Amino acid sequence: MKIAIIGGGSAYTPGLIEGLVKIRHEVCWTEICLMDIDPEKLKIVGALTAKILRAVDPKIVVSATVDRVEAILGSSFILCQIRVGGLAGRVLDEKIPLRYDVIGQETVGPGGFAMALRTLPVMLDIARDIERHAPEAWLINYANPSGMVAALLAKHTKLKAISICDVPIGIQYFLADALKVNRGRVKLDYVGLNHLGWFRRVFVEGKDITPLIHQLVKTKDIISLLPTDDEKTVTETKMMLQLYNRLGVIPSPYLQYYYLKRECLAKQQEAEKTRGEVVQGIERVLLAHFTEVAAGDDAGLWKSRGGAWHSELMVNILSSIHNDKGEEYIVNVLSKSTVPGMAHDACVEVPCIVDSRGARPLPVEAPTLDMLGLMQVVAAYEALTIEAALEKNYRKALLALNLNPLVPSLDIAQQILDAYIAAHAGQIVLH
Ligand code: G6P
Ligand code: MN
């Protein structure tokens, strides 16, 4: 069984490989192919991957290619983690809105909009290649904006696909650790869109223990129970817990950009670097480190990118599909009639059963009006952004950006859009 990783030159890849090795007793894959358009990163990450896997089982076939079709051909699973325009593109996405006193963020607000305009046409190209060369393969996508990618794949392709995000599983593990219960025993009642949702109730083995969480947050230093000391995760969790006290439900960390617009903007404007620039530094160090480990004697010395549950979720979902397990994961699907009040073709992030037929949403309780209002506006913004990206339609793009709750006026929307088109030379083309 062959598994392809599109965007294989990512610093996240060794972590993903480690996860794939962990599930080998239940998913007997024999071949890994890394594909990336950046030959330099592909060479570094490919060398480390080959070294790690040689130590696991010398019979595993490892290859690296810049040819997407070569990677797709013969694959049973295609894992996608592309970043169109690279981290340099992310930094532009983040910096340009700040000039207009608007939040600049990777996936939310104008930043996420620009990312979508660049990414969606490429995702569609990838999907067409898979339809043609490996129509039976599963595509598991982690590339952002994951919700819009999910909608695109569901509405415009015939692929067997799931689009995921590690925020919900991160919260699940955090709460399980804080409660000192096995991580798999905790289930969450969550509703929202990707990077915009609320954890309303917490269950352990089917029992609603939400009051215990309330108690824990009030009385204990719950931050010290976080399973990571990653700085970004710690800061975000503190903010979420503060909001929790006011909202009565646990918000996704990304809701800070909606609830605390001014505070977030002020923080970003004070910061010396954007998050993308910080990540550029992390990546530089990691790639040098990977090169060293690949040249050394001990493949086990590599350090991971950290701060994410990307690999864990990806391989669990892969195994749940392959082994028809029917496990529950929170992923992105078209709402159909799942979320009362949402358009049927809106892409929502909700608990789903994942088996060999893919992800099927479980019934959810209706969101409260405050949740629903924000979800509807952002879902409309997302739907219009997808149309604009596929049709390359300038007016639709402008109207979509203006609809985004982080954008104050049509005039500012237009200035930001024009600045993106100019800065992302050739990567955002609209007529
Ligand atoms: C989380 C989100 C991802 C996002 C990432 C950014 O893992 O689920 O969708 O891309 O954070 O993290 P970074 O470390 O790159 O800022
Ligand atoms: Mn995510």
Side-chain angles (χ1 to χ4, degrees):
M1 181 203 272
K2 176 179 171 186
I3 299 176
I5 305 178
I6 311 284
S10 160
Y12 280 112
T13 298
L16 196 48
I17 298 295
E18 184 185 46
L20 289 170
V21 169
K22 272 195 211 146
I23 59 160
R24 255 192 117 207
H25 64 283
E26 42 185 292
V27 182
C28 306
W29 53 270
T30 52
E31 185 176 350
I32 292 279
C33 179
L34 305 187
M35 184 270 153
D36 206 288
I37 56 167
D38 182 333
E40 270 311 301
K41 285 170 69 176
L42 187 61
K43 200 168 139 210
I44 295 169
V45 178
L48 179 62
T49 300
K51 182 137 190 158
I52 294 171
L53 291 178
R54 213 173 307 127
V56 172
D57 176 354
K59 291 197 292 295
I60 295 174
V61 179
V62 184
S63 60
T65 178
V66 292
D67 182 343
R68 194 160 72 204
V69 173
E70 185 187 324
I72 288 169
L73 273 172
S75 287
S76 302
F77 284 92
I78 295 156
L79 315 183
C80 179
Q81 49 178 15
I82 58 167
R83 184 183 285 287
V84 179
L87 284 171
R90 173 175 176 177
V91 172
L92 290 174
D93 290 349
E94 292 167 339
K95 279 194 164 170
I96 286 171
L98 289 177
R99 288 193 218 149
Y100 304 92
D101 296 326
V102 175
I103 286 171
Q105 212 281 329
E106 179 196 20
T107 63
V108 166
F113 164 82
M115 184 188 215
L117 291 183
R118 292 199 304 286
T119 308
L120 297 174
V122 177
M123 278 308 306
L124 195 60
D125 286 348
I126 294 175
R128 295 289 178 247
D129 278 351
I130 300 175
E131 280 173 343
R132 192 139 168 242
H133 299 287
E136 290 308 311
W138 272 95
L139 171 62
I140 309 181
N141 174 65
Y142 185 69
N144 275 318
S146 192
M148 282 195 245
V149 171
L152 172 87
L153 294 172
K155 285 193 223 169
H156 297 274
T157 79
K158 295 189 193 71
L159 288 192
K160 301 198 267 187
I162 293 196
S163 203
I164 62 175
C165 172
D166 65 347
V167 167
I169 204 169
I171 303 290
Q172 178 190 336
Y173 287 3
F174 167 44
L175 296 177
D177 291 5
L179 293 163
K180 299 194 173 48
V181 301
N182 186 297
R183 289 174 171 178
R185 292 175 60 207
V186 172
K187 295 267 180 306
L188 303 170
D189 166 21
Y190 170 87
V191 72
L193 312 181
N194 177 234
H195 291 187
L196 187 162
W198 297 264
F199 300 88
R200 299 180 292 189
R201 281 180 300 161
V202 184
F203 299 90
V204 176
E205 297 289 351
K207 186 167 181 269
D208 187 349
I209 55 100
T210 316
L212 199 63
I213 299 288
H214 281 286
Q215 206 55 34
L216 212 60
V217 171
K218 279 216 183 85
T219 55
K220 270 215 173 174
D221 174 20
I222 191 167
I223 292 288
S224 65
L225 305 172
L226 263 178
T228 167
D229 54 8
D230 175 67
E231 204 188 308
K232 178 185 149 208
T233 313
V234 172
T235 317
E236 277 180 348
T237 311
K238 280 188 188 156
M239 175 281 308
M240 281 164 60
L241 294 176
Q242 279 165 10
L243 279 175
Y244 180 36
N245 286 324
R246 292 155 77 180
L247 305 171
V249 287
I250 305 176
S252 153
Y254 285 93
L255 280 172
Q256 65 178 307
Y257 302 109
Y258 300 96
Y259 287 125
L260 308 170
K261 289 188 194 71
R262 281 185 165 205
E263 295 83 342
C264 287
L265 176 63
K267 255 198 225 154
Q268 288 187 340
Q269 286 181 323
E270 276 161 27
E272 216 173 284
K273 290 179 177 171
T274 70
R275 175 68 191 167
E277 288 174 309
V278 172
V279 173
Q280 279 178 320
I282 296 174
E283 188 184 86
R284 219 170 297 128
V285 173
L286 267 183
L287 289 176
H289 161 72
F290 290 170
T291 310
E292 245 172 57
V293 177
D297 296 326
D298 187 353
L301 289 178
W302 68 274
K303 288 199 278 292
S304 83
R305 163 76 156 73
W309 302 102
H310 166 198
S311 159
E312 187 107 2
L313 180 62
M314 185 77 102
V315 304
N316 286 350
I317 287 197
L318 193 159
S319 177
S320 202
I321 294 172
H322 183 70
N323 295 309
D324 198 22
K325 284 187 186 166
E327 288 173 344
E328 186 178 323
Y329 294 100
I330 296 171
V331 298
N332 295 283
V333 288
L334 295 187
S335 178
K336 309 239 171 84
S337 54
T338 307
V339 181
M342 290 299 289
H344 280 218
D345 66 348
C347 183
V348 293
E349 198 170 67
V350 287
C352 291
I353 294 296
V354 176
D355 61 20
S356 61
R357 286 178 294 160
R360 276 189 314 286
L362 291 163
V364 289
E365 238 173 64
T368 51
L369 207 48
D370 62 298
M371 297 173 180
L372 185 63
L374 186 56
M375 285 171 69
Q376 284 172 334
V377 172
V378 175
Y381 143 79
E382 288 187 350
L384 198 50
T385 300
I386 296 171
E387 283 186 20
L390 296 189
E391 296 167 20
K392 306 205 175 303
N393 185 317
Y394 181 91
R395 177 168 295 148
K396 279 192 181 177
L398 176 61
L399 293 175
L401 184 56
N402 178 65
L403 193 54
N404 189 288
L406 301 191
V407 176
S409 76
L410 186 63
D411 196 38
I412 295 292
Q414 186 148 14
Q415 291 183 51
I416 293 177
L417 176 58
D418 290 345
Y420 276 142
I421 292 170
H424 285 295
Q427 281 189 329
I428 299 180
V429 179
L430 302 168
H431 311 290

